[in-house]
Structure formats: structure tokens, C-alpha cells
Amino acid sequence: MPQVTRRQAILGLGAFTLVLAGCGDDEPAQQSGQQDLNRAGAMSSYSAGTQFKATAPVTFTILYNNHPNYPLKNDWLFWTELGKRTNVTLTPTVVPLSDYENKRSLMIGAGDAPLIIPKTYPHQETPFVASGAILPVSDYLDLMPNFKDKIAKWNLKADLDELRQADGRFYLLPGVHEAIWIDYSLAVRTDILEKLDLEVPKTWEDLYTVLKAMKAEYPDLYPLSDRWGIPTPGGALFDIIAKAYGTQAGWNYHNETWDATAGKFVLTGAMPQYKQMVEYLNKLAKEKLLDPESFTQNDDDAIRKFTSGKSFVIGSNAQTLINDYRANLEKSVEGAKVEKIPTPTGPLGDVKFGTRLENGIMISKKALEHENFVAMMQFIDWLWYSDAGQEFAKWGVEGVTVNKGADGSYKIASDVDYVGLNPGAPKHLQKDFGFGNGVFAYGGTTKLLQSTFSEEELEFQKAIEPRKALPVPPPAPLNEEEREQATLWETPLDDFVQQQTLKFILGERDLSEWDAYVQELESKNASSYINLVNTAYERFKKENG
């Protein structure tokens, strides 16, 4: 499960979602003042593919998101090996995962944040831009040749432009993937499919047919009982269904959706496609194929239902399939089998939609005054964006934690386990060595990403890969005055859509009242909000081409 929900990641603090600024060909300040930057410890000739090593020992402070599954240890091989390779010591300010976002906000607001602020999802940086507390990192990309190389080589410009603020700059260095990575889908009891002579569902309508057959055979059960409904009802389920219909919901809900046919943004919650999604889910709920508790139960309860045989379908990703479902299910239900099926498709057909941007790094504005500023930027560029740095952060040290084949493949050391690759091994890559750490290891080539995938997950990815990737929406950056106004409208609209969506799905409000619901959206400034977004879009398009 993601460390913050995808919806939280994209919405940031809710009202600030819309500051998705556009792209200019030149970074405003890259060509000016660079000679005045603090260069102590920096390499004089540093380029893409070069091993970074500071010319003298340097120390940088970093905000550290402490994951309970692999709590920080000072004696990790990661720290000592990082020092050997880069001449850098990191001094972490350790914050529990559960309180990371709150503490991060407080520290930035108080001016006490460390220099390096990782584990920040796209658009979570927006609330800190106006205060000047964080660095406009796009001004300093000339110091980051590996980052620039991947943006160019992987054609990531449009993805990156989503991060630009109204001033044309961006303030977050995102993790970047070579290709769209689809992870979330449904886990399905395949032994039940076999018993009922059913095929693995390929579309959402196929899934409806499968659920009906399951219900007919097991009338006392809800075949689909989902998780990830707290704090966002429908979390992952709504997200993946909405994308199949050409809209947005759940974790990735935005009040505005780009309509390529109309050439403008439209209100998501009033789209015909959104209604179609709601109608589909209402059908599942009405026929008792979907457990109504899916939207209020905690994950543990949903998992218990599935692993005890009281439901047959649940939301899943690669890790939850292994860690949460399979072993417990096989222990409690004789002959049970479960697979993560390729994400079902819908009216849009074989398409996939997603960002290639991952959580990334904010940099404190005070870093500019640090004597080792350039060295710090080079270090960040190497560790988070070079092939060698990404490989090191993920896999560790060759001959100790991993062995690399002549074809570039990776094989985990015989005494080390990671994501179930070597079950029963006495040591763990994350817990005992500090590698595969979500603070440092993300993004990179598809080959590196998939190097930890099981054969089963590789088959899933093989099924998804041919699907056509939909383009990212164009930027519509709000200026400061527009942002203030959007703040007043965004959250009430969002909350109302979520509330009414659940009522329609669960039958608490009849779908015959859809037109009335759309009018109620109008009373909550829906048109004014969308006009604001489209005005920003048109202005940016005119100014930037």
C-alpha cells in the first residue's frame, strides 16, 4: 500500500490541486547567477554517468520518513557504503511514517526543515511555494545532468510540466519512471472461478458476470468486499474503474477533468462518464455483489473476510497479494488459490492512464546559503537519478546483498530476503541493510523497477504493457488570486461529490435524481470553479504556445 494514498498525493492539501502550471522552454534563472553559487566540495567536472564523490567530506541534513516495517538503524550498510562512494554523511531528522506529512508541514512553516525533504508526492509542495520556504528547483537543473538526461531520453517533459507553478517554475524534484507503472487491480479467488467454470474477467462487465455467478452459488456472501475505503471511500476501486470509463474518482479524484474532444476542462462529478461509473457500482451494490461495508471497514477487516473465505474479490497490488492474502488464505481455506488479475478495461478499451512521476524531493530555500550547495545538488542527482545511484539504493552492494549477471539481471544474495524473493533467508534487505528504502529507492528504468518482481507479477505487467497510454492533461496554472478563490470552492465541491457518489451507489439516493444533483453542484459554484480553471488554461496556452 502506498505510504500516502494516491488521492492525498495528487491533491496535496486539497484546495491546492489546481496549481498545475505549464511549461516554458527555458528555466527562468538557470542561466543567471550560477557562478555565484556555493561550490565547496563540488566536483568540477560532473556529468551524467559520472560517479559523484565530494572533493572533501560533507554533511547534509535530511528529513527521514521512518517506516515501521524497517525502522532506521545507524549501523546499516547503506550509510557506510554511501559515505565511501560519495564522501557524504546524511544527518536524519527522524519522523514516524504516521506523522510525516504533519511534521513536515510544521517544520517547513517554522523554518526548521532539514536541507533535503524527500518522500513528497507531486503537488504536496504547492502549499509551501508562496512563503518562499522551498527552492524553485527548476532554476538549478544545470547542476543535475542525470535528471536532465532522463527527462530528455524518456520524453518526460509533459509529465514534468504538470508540476510547474504559476511562475513557470517547479519546486519538486520528482522520482521519474521510464514507463507508466500500473500496480493496482483486483485479487480474485481463481479456485472459485475454476469451480464455477468461469474465465478470468477482462472487462468490468465481465467482472459483473463473474460476481453474479459467485453470488448465485454463495447467496449468503458478498463476492466483492473491498479495502482502502478509509479515509477516501472507494480509494483504489473507484480510481481504477473511473479510469476505464474516462473519468476520475477515489484516490485520484480531481474536480476538473480534461475533455480532449471539447478542448477544455469539465466538472468531473457531472461528467456522463462519471455517471456511467456510478451506475455500474450501483448495479453491483443493488444486486448485493458489492459489500456496502467496503467504504467504511478498515483494511484488516476486509482482509479477514477475504482470507477466511467470506469474500472472493478484493483490491490488490503486488505486495498485498503476497503479504496480506495468499499465505493466510491458503492456511485457512483448503485448496484456495488467488491471483491479481490484469486491471479490467471499460468503455475506453485497452488504455492505461497514469503518471510516470513518483514521490520526490523538496529542497529548503536555506540550502542556497550552504557552502556545499552545488555538491548537494550533484549528490541528489547521483543518488536519486543516476543509474548507478538508483541501483545502489535499491539493491545495495554487489557480492553482499545482490549478485549481478552478465546480462545485467539481479539475483538477491542467498542469505537475504526482499519482497518474498528469498523466503526464509536469515537477513532482510531493508531491515538489516537499509536498501530498498522508500526514502531513497524509487523511480528508474523499467528493468530496475521490475528486477524485484515475481514471475507472476511480470506476467501481470506483460498483460498491461501493450495498452495505449493516454496523454497527460494540459497545464492550467492558477495565479495567487485565483488560487485563493479556488481554495474556497474546491473542498466543498469535492466533499459534496464524494458524499453524493456514495449515496447513489448504495441506493440512498435514486439515480433518477442525477439531474437534480448536477444542479446542486451548480449551487456550489461548479461553473465558476471550472471557468476559473479554463481561464488559467487559456491564459497559459496563449502566453506559452
Side-chain angles (χ1 to χ4, degrees):
M1 186 175 182
Q3 294 190 2
V4 295
T5 69
R6 292 293 179 191
R7 181 165 183 268
Q8 290 171 324
I10 292 179
L11 290 181
L13 298 185
F16 298 94
T17 306
L18 285 175
V19 190
L20 304 178
C23 58
D25 291 335
D26 299 313
E27 307 303 342
Q30 277 194 39
Q31 305 305 321
S32 62
Q34 297 270 325
Q35 68 277 8
D36 299 325
L37 297 175
N38 290 307
R39 297 178 177 273
M43 294 177 65
S44 58
S45 57
Y46 173 69
S47 59
T50 300
Q51 169 65 52
F52 167 77
K53 188 166 188 178
T55 59
V58 294
T59 299
F60 304 123
T61 55
I62 185 170
L63 191 63
Y64 186 87
N65 186 334
N66 201 21
H67 200 294
N69 290 350
Y70 46 95
L72 183 148
K73 295 180 181 178
N74 293 327
D75 63 351
W76 274 342
L77 179 61
F78 174 85
W79 303 119
T80 54
E81 188 67 23
L82 183 70
K84 289 178 184 177
R85 297 189 186 200
T86 66
N87 222 1
V88 171
T89 299
L90 293 176
T91 303
T93 297
V94 182
V95 178
L97 179 151
S98 59
D99 200 29
Y100 188 74
E101 290 182 55
N102 181 53
K103 286 288 178 65
R104 180 182 61 197
S105 297
L106 292 173
M107 294 180 74
I108 293 175
D112 296 331
L115 299 178
I116 303 172
I117 311 169
K119 216 61 190 165
T120 301
Y121 282 88
H123 310 304
Q124 288 185 333
E125 79 282 8
T126 301
F128 312 116
V129 169
S131 68
I134 59 174
L135 200 67
V137 289
S138 58
D139 287 2
Y140 304 98
L141 297 189
D142 282 347
L143 303 176
M144 306 189 69
N146 287 292
F147 180 85
K148 289 179 68 175
D149 179 63
K150 283 183 167 53
I151 298 301
K153 185 166 55 180
W154 295 345
N155 194 26
L156 280 160
K157 184 174 183 296
D159 300 73
L160 195 62
D161 286 344
E162 284 196 277
L163 298 179
R164 294 185 187 272
Q165 304 289 330
D167 60 5
R169 298 160 160 177
F170 55 87
Y171 291 72
L172 177 75
L173 288 169
V176 293
H177 287 281
E178 182 179 7
I180 291 174
W181 173 31
I182 304 297
D183 189 17
Y184 284 82
S185 185
L186 299 172
V188 177
R189 283 278 301 278
T190 50
D191 59 305
I192 301 296
L193 295 183
E194 292 170 5
K195 177 181 178 180
L196 301 179
D197 196 24
L198 298 167
E199 297 289 333
V200 171
K202 295 181 179 179
T203 70
W204 290 104
E205 284 304 319
D206 289 346
L207 179 70
Y208 167 70
T209 301
V210 164
L211 295 175
K212 277 181 69 72
M214 289 175 168
K215 183 70 175 180
E217 184 73 13
Y218 302 92
D220 296 333
L221 302 182
Y222 289 104
L224 169 55
S225 186
D226 205 30
R227 63 184 297 181
W228 295 320
I230 302 172
T232 306
L237 180 66
F238 287 7
D239 178 28
I240 58 179
I241 296 178
K243 286 172 178 173
Y245 278 85
T247 185
Q248 304 173 93
W251 282 343
N252 283 332
Y253 178 81
H254 296 69
N255 277 318
E256 72 289 346
T257 294
W258 175 249
D259 185 331
T261 302
K264 63 181 181 180
F265 287 91
V266 297
L267 188 72
T268 304
M271 294 175 70
Q273 297 93 326
Y274 194 88
K275 183 183 180 184
Q276 291 170 355
M277 178 204 71
V278 170
E279 288 172 334
Y280 174 80
L281 287 160
N282 169 263
K283 180 170 64 173
L284 299 189
K286 189 175 182 179
E287 298 184 27
K288 300 187 185 306
L289 309 178
L290 170 63
D291 185 355
E293 292 183 357
S294 297
F295 311 116
T296 54
Q297 66 189 349
N298 63 46
D299 284 3
D300 288 342
D301 288 339
I303 293 167
R304 273 193 292 270
K305 287 180 182 178
F306 185 77
T307 56
S308 65
K310 294 180 180 178
S311 70
F312 303 135
V313 182
I314 189 173
S316 183
N317 59 32
Q319 290 197 41
T320 57
L321 177 70
I322 303 300
N323 297 338
D324 295 346
Y325 307 149
R326 182 164 285 155
N328 290 330
L329 177 64
E330 291 174 351
K331 286 178 184 176
S332 61
V333 181
E334 185 177 356
K337 295 188 292 185
V338 58
E339 293 180 10
K340 186 181 79 163
I341 66 171
T343 310
T345 60
L348 288 188
D350 288 339
V351 300
K352 57 185 175 184
F353 178 82
T355 180
R356 291 184 288 166
L357 305 185
E358 180 60 277
N359 66 80
I361 301 162
M362 292 186 291
I363 297 174
S364 171
K365 188 68 174 289
K366 62 188 179 186
L368 268 180
E369 308 304 319
H370 196 286
E371 66 172 353
N372 303 122
F373 173 71
V374 173
M376 186 188 77
M377 297 299 288
Q378 291 177 345
F379 166 74
I380 290 171
D381 181 66
W382 179 82
L383 180 58
W384 277 276
Y385 298 104
S386 75
D387 291 343
Q390 291 173 335
E391 179 183 288
F392 166 73
K394 184 159 192 166
W395 277 113
V397 180
E398 189 165 3
V400 179
T401 57
V402 67
N403 296 298
K404 196 170 181 181
D407 60 352
S409 61
Y410 303 89
K411 183 174 179 56
I412 197 163
S414 60
D415 60 343
V416 180
D417 185 30
Y418 177 49
V419 293
L421 291 174
N422 199 6
K427 300 174 185 176
H428 193 275
L429 188 69
Q430 294 169 309
K431 297 176 183 178
D432 297 311
F433 297 97
F435 299 109
N437 185 328
V439 175
F440 305 107
Y442 45 79
T445 64
T446 299
K447 183 175 182 177
L448 182 65
L449 170 70
Q450 296 186 355
S451 65
T452 59
F453 289 1
S454 66
E455 288 299 321
E456 181 179 15
E457 179 61 18
L458 289 172
E459 285 299 313
F460 173 88
Q461 295 298 329
K462 185 178 178 180
I464 296 291
E465 193 278 331
R467 297 182 184 180
K468 181 182 178 182
L470 296 178
V472 297
L478 303 180
N479 60 35
E480 187 173 352
E481 181 180 346
E482 290 166 337
R483 193 181 307 125
E484 290 178 1
Q485 184 60 71
T487 301
L488 301 176
W489 294 335
E490 171 84 1
T491 301
L493 268 173
D494 186 315
D495 291 345
F496 185 72
V497 170
Q498 308 308 319
Q499 293 163 5
Q500 298 306 307
T501 295
L502 270 187
K503 287 184 177 181
F504 281 126
I505 290 170
L506 296 175
E508 296 171 4
R509 185 171 187 180
D510 196 272
L511 280 162
S512 63
E513 296 184 28
W514 185 266
D515 290 344
Y517 151 74
V518 172
Q519 288 303 310
E520 290 160 9
L521 288 172
E522 288 300 316
S523 71
K524 296 185 179 298
N525 302 297
S527 290
S528 298
Y529 176 82
I530 290 300
N531 288 338
L532 193 71
V533 176
N534 281 315
T535 296
Y537 159 68
E538 292 292 346
R539 179 180 62 237
F540 191 86
K541 183 173 69 170
K542 181 178 179 181
E543 292 176 355
N544 295 273

